[in-house]
mmCIF file with all atom_site columns, all heavy atoms in Angstrom:
data_model
loop_
_atom_site.group_PDB
_atom_site.id
_atom_site.type_symbol
_atom_site.label_atom_id
_atom_site.label_alt_id
_atom_site.label_comp_id
_atom_site.label_asym_id
_atom_site.label_entity_id
_atom_site.label_seq_id
_atom_site.pdbx_PDB_ins_code
_atom_site.Cartn_x
_atom_site.Cartn_y
_atom_site.Cartn_z
_atom_site.occupancy
_atom_site.B_iso_or_equiv
_atom_site.pdbx_formal_charge
_atom_site.auth_seq_id
_atom_site.auth_comp_id
_atom_site.auth_asym_id
_atom_site.auth_atom_id
_atom_site.pdbx_PDB_model_num
ATOM 1   N N   . SER A 1 12  ? 81.537  95.133 91.434  1.00 0.00 ? 961  SER A N   1
ATOM 2   C CA  . SER A 1 12  ? 80.621  94.128 91.972  1.00 0.00 ? 961  SER A CA  1
ATOM 3   C C   . SER A 1 12  ? 79.625  93.673 90.907  1.00 0.00 ? 961  SER A C   1
ATOM 4   O O   . SER A 1 12  ? 79.342  92.471 90.782  1.00 0.00 ? 961  SER A O   1
ATOM 5   C CB  . SER A 1 12  ? 79.868  94.710 93.175  1.00 0.00 ? 961  SER A CB  1
ATOM 6   O OG  . SER A 1 12  ? 78.934  93.789 93.661  1.00 0.00 ? 961  SER A OG  1
ATOM 7   N N   . ARG A 1 56  ? 83.350  70.945 101.011 1.00 0.00 ? 1005 ARG A N   1
ATOM 8   C CA  . ARG A 1 56  ? 81.918  70.699 101.161 1.00 0.00 ? 1005 ARG A CA  1
ATOM 9   C C   . ARG A 1 56  ? 81.689  69.394 101.923 1.00 0.00 ? 1005 ARG A C   1
ATOM 10  O O   . ARG A 1 56  ? 82.438  68.434 101.776 1.00 0.00 ? 1005 ARG A O   1
ATOM 11  C CB  . ARG A 1 56  ? 81.241  70.639 99.796  1.00 0.00 ? 1005 ARG A CB  1
ATOM 12  C CG  . ARG A 1 56  ? 81.299  71.977 99.076  1.00 0.00 ? 1005 ARG A CG  1
ATOM 13  C CD  . ARG A 1 56  ? 80.847  71.879 97.644  1.00 0.00 ? 1005 ARG A CD  1
ATOM 14  N NE  . ARG A 1 56  ? 81.134  73.137 96.935  1.00 0.00 ? 1005 ARG A NE  1
ATOM 15  C CZ  . ARG A 1 56  ? 80.258  74.123 96.788  1.00 0.00 ? 1005 ARG A CZ  1
ATOM 16  N NH1 . ARG A 1 56  ? 79.065  74.002 97.292  1.00 0.00 ? 1005 ARG A NH1 1
ATOM 17  N NH2 . ARG A 1 56  ? 80.583  75.222 96.135  1.00 0.00 ? 1005 ARG A NH2 1
ATOM 18  N N   . LEU A 1 57  ? 80.668  69.421 102.684 1.00 0.00 ? 1006 LEU A N   1
ATOM 19  C CA  . LEU A 1 57  ? 80.326  68.248 103.482 1.00 0.00 ? 1006 LEU A CA  1
ATOM 20  C C   . LEU A 1 57  ? 79.568  67.240 102.620 1.00 0.00 ? 1006 LEU A C   1
ATOM 21  O O   . LEU A 1 57  ? 78.850  67.613 101.695 1.00 0.00 ? 1006 LEU A O   1
ATOM 22  C CB  . LEU A 1 57  ? 79.454  68.651 104.669 1.00 0.00 ? 1006 LEU A CB  1
ATOM 23  C CG  . LEU A 1 57  ? 80.030  69.675 105.640 1.00 0.00 ? 1006 LEU A CG  1
ATOM 24  C CD1 . LEU A 1 57  ? 78.987  70.052 106.678 1.00 0.00 ? 1006 LEU A CD1 1
ATOM 25  C CD2 . LEU A 1 57  ? 81.273  69.119 106.313 1.00 0.00 ? 1006 LEU A CD2 1
ATOM 26  N N   . SER A 1 75  ? 52.760  62.193 106.774 1.00 0.00 ? 1024 SER A N   1
ATOM 27  C CA  . SER A 1 75  ? 51.731  61.689 105.874 1.00 0.00 ? 1024 SER A CA  1
ATOM 28  C C   . SER A 1 75  ? 50.700  60.842 106.589 1.00 0.00 ? 1024 SER A C   1
ATOM 29  O O   . SER A 1 75  ? 49.526  60.880 106.275 1.00 0.00 ? 1024 SER A O   1
ATOM 30  C CB  . SER A 1 75  ? 52.392  60.871 104.766 1.00 0.00 ? 1024 SER A CB  1
ATOM 31  O OG  . SER A 1 75  ? 53.215  61.707 104.000 1.00 0.00 ? 1024 SER A OG  1
ATOM 32  N N   . ARG A 1 282 ? 49.638  60.795 101.810 1.00 0.00 ? 1231 ARG A N   1
ATOM 33  C CA  . ARG A 1 282 ? 50.104  61.076 100.464 1.00 0.00 ? 1231 ARG A CA  1
ATOM 34  C C   . ARG A 1 282 ? 50.301  59.757 99.737  1.00 0.00 ? 1231 ARG A C   1
ATOM 35  O O   . ARG A 1 282 ? 50.860  58.822 100.276 1.00 0.00 ? 1231 ARG A O   1
ATOM 36  C CB  . ARG A 1 282 ? 51.433  61.829 100.530 1.00 0.00 ? 1231 ARG A CB  1
ATOM 37  C CG  . ARG A 1 282 ? 51.255  63.208 101.101 1.00 0.00 ? 1231 ARG A CG  1
ATOM 38  C CD  . ARG A 1 282 ? 52.584  63.773 101.531 1.00 0.00 ? 1231 ARG A CD  1
ATOM 39  N NE  . ARG A 1 282 ? 52.398  65.103 102.057 1.00 0.00 ? 1231 ARG A NE  1
ATOM 40  C CZ  . ARG A 1 282 ? 52.525  66.203 101.337 1.00 0.00 ? 1231 ARG A CZ  1
ATOM 41  N NH1 . ARG A 1 282 ? 52.852  66.109 100.070 1.00 0.00 ? 1231 ARG A NH1 1
ATOM 42  N NH2 . ARG A 1 282 ? 52.339  67.388 101.853 1.00 0.00 ? 1231 ARG A NH2 1
ATOM 43  N N   . GLN A 1 415 ? 96.116  69.759 132.637 1.00 0.00 ? 1364 GLN A N   1
ATOM 44  C CA  . GLN A 1 415 ? 94.855  69.068 132.474 1.00 0.00 ? 1364 GLN A CA  1
ATOM 45  C C   . GLN A 1 415 ? 94.450  68.370 133.743 1.00 0.00 ? 1364 GLN A C   1
ATOM 46  O O   . GLN A 1 415 ? 93.296  68.384 134.136 1.00 0.00 ? 1364 GLN A O   1
ATOM 47  C CB  . GLN A 1 415 ? 94.967  68.048 131.340 1.00 0.00 ? 1364 GLN A CB  1
ATOM 48  C CG  . GLN A 1 415 ? 94.998  68.695 129.990 1.00 0.00 ? 1364 GLN A CG  1
ATOM 49  C CD  . GLN A 1 415 ? 93.761  69.544 129.770 1.00 0.00 ? 1364 GLN A CD  1
ATOM 50  O OE1 . GLN A 1 415 ? 92.646  69.134 130.042 1.00 0.00 ? 1364 GLN A OE1 1
ATOM 51  N NE2 . GLN A 1 415 ? 93.952  70.754 129.276 1.00 0.00 ? 1364 GLN A NE2 1
ATOM 52  N N   . GLY A 1 516 ? 105.016 71.394 122.200 1.00 0.00 ? 1465 GLY A N   1
ATOM 53  C CA  . GLY A 1 516 ? 104.548 72.407 121.267 1.00 0.00 ? 1465 GLY A CA  1
ATOM 54  C C   . GLY A 1 516 ? 103.560 73.374 121.887 1.00 0.00 ? 1465 GLY A C   1
ATOM 55  O O   . GLY A 1 516 ? 102.660 73.862 121.209 1.00 0.00 ? 1465 GLY A O   1
ATOM 56  N N   . GLN A 1 526 ? 97.844  78.513 129.262 1.00 0.00 ? 1475 GLN A N   1
ATOM 57  C CA  . GLN A 1 526 ? 98.328  78.209 127.924 1.00 0.00 ? 1475 GLN A CA  1
ATOM 58  C C   . GLN A 1 526 ? 97.905  79.315 126.967 1.00 0.00 ? 1475 GLN A C   1
ATOM 59  O O   . GLN A 1 526 ? 96.811  79.889 127.082 1.00 0.00 ? 1475 GLN A O   1
ATOM 60  C CB  . GLN A 1 526 ? 97.762  76.872 127.447 1.00 0.00 ? 1475 GLN A CB  1
ATOM 61  C CG  . GLN A 1 526 ? 98.352  76.423 126.131 1.00 0.00 ? 1475 GLN A CG  1
ATOM 62  C CD  . GLN A 1 526 ? 97.668  75.209 125.565 1.00 0.00 ? 1475 GLN A CD  1
ATOM 63  O OE1 . GLN A 1 526 ? 96.875  74.574 126.245 1.00 0.00 ? 1475 GLN A OE1 1
ATOM 64  N NE2 . GLN A 1 526 ? 97.970  74.880 124.323 1.00 0.00 ? 1475 GLN A NE2 1
ATOM 65  N N   . ASP A 1 559 ? 83.477  76.897 112.687 1.00 0.00 ? 1508 ASP A N   1
ATOM 66  C CA  . ASP A 1 559 ? 83.114  75.546 113.093 1.00 0.00 ? 1508 ASP A CA  1
ATOM 67  C C   . ASP A 1 559 ? 83.654  75.247 114.478 1.00 0.00 ? 1508 ASP A C   1
ATOM 68  O O   . ASP A 1 559 ? 84.833  74.973 114.649 1.00 0.00 ? 1508 ASP A O   1
ATOM 69  C CB  . ASP A 1 559 ? 83.671  74.557 112.084 1.00 0.00 ? 1508 ASP A CB  1
ATOM 70  C CG  . ASP A 1 559 ? 82.970  73.233 112.207 1.00 0.00 ? 1508 ASP A CG  1
ATOM 71  O OD1 . ASP A 1 559 ? 82.108  73.080 113.078 1.00 0.00 ? 1508 ASP A OD1 1
ATOM 72  O OD2 . ASP A 1 559 ? 83.304  72.353 111.430 1.00 0.00 ? 1508 ASP A OD2 1
ATOM 73  N N   . ARG A 1 571 ? 83.861  74.933 129.331 1.00 0.00 ? 1520 ARG A N   1
ATOM 74  C CA  . ARG A 1 571 ? 83.005  75.363 130.420 1.00 0.00 ? 1520 ARG A CA  1
ATOM 75  C C   . ARG A 1 571 ? 82.429  76.713 130.092 1.00 0.00 ? 1520 ARG A C   1
ATOM 76  O O   . ARG A 1 571 ? 83.104  77.582 129.542 1.00 0.00 ? 1520 ARG A O   1
ATOM 77  C CB  . ARG A 1 571 ? 83.795  75.421 131.733 1.00 0.00 ? 1520 ARG A CB  1
ATOM 78  C CG  . ARG A 1 571 ? 84.457  74.107 132.089 1.00 0.00 ? 1520 ARG A CG  1
ATOM 79  C CD  . ARG A 1 571 ? 83.434  72.979 132.169 1.00 0.00 ? 1520 ARG A CD  1
ATOM 80  N NE  . ARG A 1 571 ? 82.375  73.291 133.119 1.00 0.00 ? 1520 ARG A NE  1
ATOM 81  C CZ  . ARG A 1 571 ? 82.466  73.043 134.416 1.00 0.00 ? 1520 ARG A CZ  1
ATOM 82  N NH1 . ARG A 1 571 ? 83.549  72.472 134.902 1.00 0.00 ? 1520 ARG A NH1 1
ATOM 83  N NH2 . ARG A 1 571 ? 81.493  73.338 135.228 1.00 0.00 ? 1520 ARG A NH2 1
ATOM 84  N N   . TYR A 1 582 ? 71.335  93.051 112.288 1.00 0.00 ? 1531 TYR A N   1
ATOM 85  C CA  . TYR A 1 582 ? 72.484  92.138 112.292 1.00 0.00 ? 1531 TYR A CA  1
ATOM 86  C C   . TYR A 1 582 ? 73.800  92.891 112.392 1.00 0.00 ? 1531 TYR A C   1
ATOM 87  O O   . TYR A 1 582 ? 74.853  92.373 112.058 1.00 0.00 ? 1531 TYR A O   1
ATOM 88  C CB  . TYR A 1 582 ? 72.508  91.267 111.030 1.00 0.00 ? 1531 TYR A CB  1
ATOM 89  C CG  . TYR A 1 582 ? 71.253  90.479 110.836 1.00 0.00 ? 1531 TYR A CG  1
ATOM 90  C CD1 . TYR A 1 582 ? 70.295  90.889 109.950 1.00 0.00 ? 1531 TYR A CD1 1
ATOM 91  C CD2 . TYR A 1 582 ? 71.027  89.327 111.578 1.00 0.00 ? 1531 TYR A CD2 1
ATOM 92  C CE1 . TYR A 1 582 ? 69.123  90.184 109.792 1.00 0.00 ? 1531 TYR A CE1 1
ATOM 93  C CE2 . TYR A 1 582 ? 69.871  88.614 111.417 1.00 0.00 ? 1531 TYR A CE2 1
ATOM 94  C CZ  . TYR A 1 582 ? 68.919  89.037 110.516 1.00 0.00 ? 1531 TYR A CZ  1
ATOM 95  O OH  . TYR A 1 582 ? 67.769  88.327 110.358 1.00 0.00 ? 1531 TYR A OH  1
ATOM 96  N N   . GLY B 2 15  ? 51.896  65.082 96.782  1.00 0.00 ? 1384 GLY B N   1
ATOM 97  C CA  . GLY B 2 15  ? 52.035  64.121 97.859  1.00 0.00 ? 1384 GLY B CA  1
ATOM 98  C C   . GLY B 2 15  ? 52.848  62.897 97.532  1.00 0.00 ? 1384 GLY B C   1
ATOM 99  O O   . GLY B 2 15  ? 52.842  61.933 98.284  1.00 0.00 ? 1384 GLY B O   1
ATOM 100 N N   . ASN B 2 33  ? 75.531  72.115 103.087 1.00 0.00 ? 1402 ASN B N   1
ATOM 101 C CA  . ASN B 2 33  ? 76.750  72.908 103.016 1.00 0.00 ? 1402 ASN B CA  1
ATOM 102 C C   . ASN B 2 33  ? 76.457  74.398 103.165 1.00 0.00 ? 1402 ASN B C   1
ATOM 103 O O   . ASN B 2 33  ? 77.220  75.127 103.810 1.00 0.00 ? 1402 ASN B O   1
ATOM 104 C CB  . ASN B 2 33  ? 77.464  72.633 101.695 1.00 0.00 ? 1402 ASN B CB  1
ATOM 105 C CG  . ASN B 2 33  ? 78.246  71.343 101.743 1.00 0.00 ? 1402 ASN B CG  1
ATOM 106 O OD1 . ASN B 2 33  ? 79.328  71.287 102.307 1.00 0.00 ? 1402 ASN B OD1 1
ATOM 107 N ND2 . ASN B 2 33  ? 77.680  70.283 101.179 1.00 0.00 ? 1402 ASN B ND2 1
ATOM 108 N N   . GLY B 2 40  ? 78.154  77.772 110.788 1.00 0.00 ? 1409 GLY B N   1
ATOM 109 C CA  . GLY B 2 40  ? 79.491  77.428 111.250 1.00 0.00 ? 1409 GLY B CA  1
ATOM 110 C C   . GLY B 2 40  ? 79.563  76.216 112.151 1.00 0.00 ? 1409 GLY B C   1
ATOM 111 O O   . GLY B 2 40  ? 80.555  76.030 112.847 1.00 0.00 ? 1409 GLY B O   1
ATOM 112 N N   . ASP B 2 41  ? 78.567  75.431 112.151 1.00 0.00 ? 1410 ASP B N   1
ATOM 113 C CA  . ASP B 2 41  ? 78.594  74.260 113.022 1.00 0.00 ? 1410 ASP B CA  1
ATOM 114 C C   . ASP B 2 41  ? 77.872  73.120 112.306 1.00 0.00 ? 1410 ASP B C   1
ATOM 115 O O   . ASP B 2 41  ? 76.712  73.275 111.906 1.00 0.00 ? 1410 ASP B O   1
ATOM 116 C CB  . ASP B 2 41  ? 77.887  74.576 114.349 1.00 0.00 ? 1410 ASP B CB  1
ATOM 117 C CG  . ASP B 2 41  ? 77.871  73.384 115.276 1.00 0.00 ? 1410 ASP B CG  1
ATOM 118 O OD1 . ASP B 2 41  ? 78.862  73.175 115.977 1.00 0.00 ? 1410 ASP B OD1 1
ATOM 119 O OD2 . ASP B 2 41  ? 76.862  72.641 115.287 1.00 0.00 ? 1410 ASP B OD2 1
ATOM 120 N N   . TYR B 2 57  ? 58.449  70.276 102.864 1.00 0.00 ? 1426 TYR B N   1
ATOM 121 C CA  . TYR B 2 57  ? 57.473  69.215 102.590 1.00 0.00 ? 1426 TYR B CA  1
ATOM 122 C C   . TYR B 2 57  ? 56.069  69.643 103.024 1.00 0.00 ? 1426 TYR B C   1
ATOM 123 O O   . TYR B 2 57  ? 55.082  69.414 102.315 1.00 0.00 ? 1426 TYR B O   1
ATOM 124 C CB  . TYR B 2 57  ? 57.891  67.945 103.324 1.00 0.00 ? 1426 TYR B CB  1
ATOM 125 C CG  . TYR B 2 57  ? 56.919  66.806 103.156 1.00 0.00 ? 1426 TYR B CG  1
ATOM 126 C CD1 . TYR B 2 57  ? 56.887  66.061 101.983 1.00 0.00 ? 1426 TYR B CD1 1
ATOM 127 C CD2 . TYR B 2 57  ? 56.031  66.485 104.164 1.00 0.00 ? 1426 TYR B CD2 1
ATOM 128 C CE1 . TYR B 2 57  ? 55.995  65.021 101.830 1.00 0.00 ? 1426 TYR B CE1 1
ATOM 129 C CE2 . TYR B 2 57  ? 55.136  65.447 104.016 1.00 0.00 ? 1426 TYR B CE2 1
ATOM 130 C CZ  . TYR B 2 57  ? 55.125  64.718 102.850 1.00 0.00 ? 1426 TYR B CZ  1
ATOM 131 O OH  . TYR B 2 57  ? 54.231  63.696 102.705 1.00 0.00 ? 1426 TYR B OH  1
ATOM 132 N N   . ILE B 2 82  ? 68.818  82.016 109.878 1.00 0.00 ? 1451 ILE B N   1
ATOM 133 C CA  . ILE B 2 82  ? 68.861  83.314 110.552 1.00 0.00 ? 1451 ILE B CA  1
ATOM 134 C C   . ILE B 2 82  ? 68.023  83.278 111.821 1.00 0.00 ? 1451 ILE B C   1
ATOM 135 O O   . ILE B 2 82  ? 68.417  83.834 112.851 1.00 0.00 ? 1451 ILE B O   1
ATOM 136 C CB  . ILE B 2 82  ? 68.381  84.411 109.579 1.00 0.00 ? 1451 ILE B CB  1
ATOM 137 C CG1 . ILE B 2 82  ? 69.447  84.627 108.495 1.00 0.00 ? 1451 ILE B CG1 1
ATOM 138 C CG2 . ILE B 2 82  ? 68.121  85.709 110.315 1.00 0.00 ? 1451 ILE B CG2 1
ATOM 139 C CD1 . ILE B 2 82  ? 69.086  85.660 107.456 1.00 0.00 ? 1451 ILE B CD1 1
ATOM 140 N N   . TRP B 2 93  ? 84.045  79.619 122.500 1.00 0.00 ? 1462 TRP B N   1
ATOM 141 C CA  . TRP B 2 93  ? 85.395  79.438 122.970 1.00 0.00 ? 1462 TRP B CA  1
ATOM 142 C C   . TRP B 2 93  ? 86.012  78.211 122.353 1.00 0.00 ? 1462 TRP B C   1
ATOM 143 O O   . TRP B 2 93  ? 85.412  77.149 122.313 1.00 0.00 ? 1462 TRP B O   1
ATOM 144 C CB  . TRP B 2 93  ? 85.418  79.303 124.491 1.00 0.00 ? 1462 TRP B CB  1
ATOM 145 C CG  . TRP B 2 93  ? 84.775  80.469 125.152 1.00 0.00 ? 1462 TRP B CG  1
ATOM 146 C CD1 . TRP B 2 93  ? 84.717  81.753 124.700 1.00 0.00 ? 1462 TRP B CD1 1
ATOM 147 C CD2 . TRP B 2 93  ? 84.054  80.450 126.363 1.00 0.00 ? 1462 TRP B CD2 1
ATOM 148 N NE1 . TRP B 2 93  ? 84.026  82.535 125.563 1.00 0.00 ? 1462 TRP B NE1 1
ATOM 149 C CE2 . TRP B 2 93  ? 83.612  81.762 126.593 1.00 0.00 ? 1462 TRP B CE2 1
ATOM 150 C CE3 . TRP B 2 93  ? 83.760  79.467 127.288 1.00 0.00 ? 1462 TRP B CE3 1
ATOM 151 C CZ2 . TRP B 2 93  ? 82.880  82.101 127.720 1.00 0.00 ? 1462 TRP B CZ2 1
ATOM 152 C CZ3 . TRP B 2 93  ? 83.043  79.813 128.393 1.00 0.00 ? 1462 TRP B CZ3 1
ATOM 153 C CH2 . TRP B 2 93  ? 82.606  81.116 128.611 1.00 0.00 ? 1462 TRP B CH2 1
ATOM 154 N N   . PHE B 2 96  ? 89.756  73.565 125.064 1.00 0.00 ? 1465 PHE B N   1
ATOM 155 C CA  . PHE B 2 96  ? 91.065  73.031 125.383 1.00 0.00 ? 1465 PHE B CA  1
ATOM 156 C C   . PHE B 2 96  ? 90.866  71.561 125.661 1.00 0.00 ? 1465 PHE B C   1
ATOM 157 O O   . PHE B 2 96  ? 90.641  71.130 126.778 1.00 0.00 ? 1465 PHE B O   1
ATOM 158 C CB  . PHE B 2 96  ? 91.621  73.759 126.599 1.00 0.00 ? 1465 PHE B CB  1
ATOM 159 C CG  . PHE B 2 96  ? 93.010  73.330 126.955 1.00 0.00 ? 1465 PHE B CG  1
ATOM 160 C CD1 . PHE B 2 96  ? 93.897  72.920 125.979 1.00 0.00 ? 1465 PHE B CD1 1
ATOM 161 C CD2 . PHE B 2 96  ? 93.432  73.358 128.265 1.00 0.00 ? 1465 PHE B CD2 1
ATOM 162 C CE1 . PHE B 2 96  ? 95.166  72.534 126.309 1.00 0.00 ? 1465 PHE B CE1 1
ATOM 163 C CE2 . PHE B 2 96  ? 94.709  72.966 128.609 1.00 0.00 ? 1465 PHE B CE2 1
ATOM 164 C CZ  . PHE B 2 96  ? 95.590  72.547 127.628 1.00 0.00 ? 1465 PHE B CZ  1
ATOM 165 N N   . ALA B 2 103 ? 99.069  73.129 119.086 1.00 0.00 ? 1472 ALA B N   1
ATOM 166 C CA  . ALA B 2 103 ? 100.304 73.707 118.590 1.00 0.00 ? 1472 ALA B CA  1
ATOM 167 C C   . ALA B 2 103 ? 101.152 72.718 117.816 1.00 0.00 ? 1472 ALA B C   1
ATOM 168 O O   . ALA B 2 103 ? 102.128 73.094 117.193 1.00 0.00 ? 1472 ALA B O   1
ATOM 169 C CB  . ALA B 2 103 ? 101.112 74.251 119.761 1.00 0.00 ? 1472 ALA B CB  1
ATOM 170 N N   . TYR B 2 138 ? 79.089  80.476 96.602  1.00 0.00 ? 1507 TYR B N   1
ATOM 171 C CA  . TYR B 2 138 ? 79.336  79.129 97.136  1.00 0.00 ? 1507 TYR B CA  1
ATOM 172 C C   . TYR B 2 138 ? 78.332  78.131 96.557  1.00 0.00 ? 1507 TYR B C   1
ATOM 173 O O   . TYR B 2 138 ? 78.693  77.017 96.191  1.00 0.00 ? 1507 TYR B O   1
ATOM 174 C CB  . TYR B 2 138 ? 79.241  79.158 98.656  1.00 0.00 ? 1507 TYR B CB  1
ATOM 175 C CG  . TYR B 2 138 ? 79.556  77.859 99.349  1.00 0.00 ? 1507 TYR B CG  1
ATOM 176 C CD1 . TYR B 2 138 ? 80.796  77.251 99.186  1.00 0.00 ? 1507 TYR B CD1 1
ATOM 177 C CD2 . TYR B 2 138 ? 78.637  77.253 100.183 1.00 0.00 ? 1507 TYR B CD2 1
ATOM 178 C CE1 . TYR B 2 138 ? 81.092  76.067 99.829  1.00 0.00 ? 1507 TYR B CE1 1
ATOM 179 C CE2 . TYR B 2 138 ? 78.917  76.075 100.832 1.00 0.00 ? 1507 TYR B CE2 1
ATOM 180 C CZ  . TYR B 2 138 ? 80.149  75.486 100.650 1.00 0.00 ? 1507 TYR B CZ  1
ATOM 181 O OH  . TYR B 2 138 ? 80.441  74.301 101.290 1.00 0.00 ? 1507 TYR B OH  1
ATOM 182 N N   . ARG B 2 165 ? 80.192  92.419 99.408  1.00 0.00 ? 1534 ARG B N   1
ATOM 183 C CA  . ARG B 2 165 ? 81.561  92.329 98.892  1.00 0.00 ? 1534 ARG B CA  1
ATOM 184 C C   . ARG B 2 165 ? 82.427  93.443 99.462  1.00 0.00 ? 1534 ARG B C   1
ATOM 185 O O   . ARG B 2 165 ? 83.602  93.246 99.755  1.00 0.00 ? 1534 ARG B O   1
ATOM 186 C CB  . ARG B 2 165 ? 81.535  92.400 97.366  1.00 0.00 ? 1534 ARG B CB  1
ATOM 187 C CG  . ARG B 2 165 ? 81.018  91.129 96.717  1.00 0.00 ? 1534 ARG B CG  1
ATOM 188 C CD  . ARG B 2 165 ? 80.660  91.330 95.278  1.00 0.00 ? 1534 ARG B CD  1
ATOM 189 N NE  . ARG B 2 165 ? 80.121  90.105 94.669  1.00 0.00 ? 1534 ARG B NE  1
ATOM 190 C CZ  . ARG B 2 165 ? 79.189  90.086 93.728  1.00 0.00 ? 1534 ARG B CZ  1
ATOM 191 N NH1 . ARG B 2 165 ? 78.668  91.222 93.265  1.00 0.00 ? 1534 ARG B NH1 1
ATOM 192 N NH2 . ARG B 2 165 ? 78.756  88.941 93.239  1.00 0.00 ? 1534 ARG B NH2 1
#
Side-chain angles (χ1 to χ4, degrees):
Chain A
S961 177
R1005 295 170 189 265
L1006 302 175
S1024 296
R1231 292 163 179 266
Q1364 287 302 314
Q1475 187 188 349
D1508 198 358
R1520 304 303 304 274
Y1531 303 101
Chain B
N1402 280 282
D1410 179 84
Y1426 178 77
I1451 289 179
W1462 304 330
F1465 183 32
Y1507 184 59
R1534 287 165 182 146

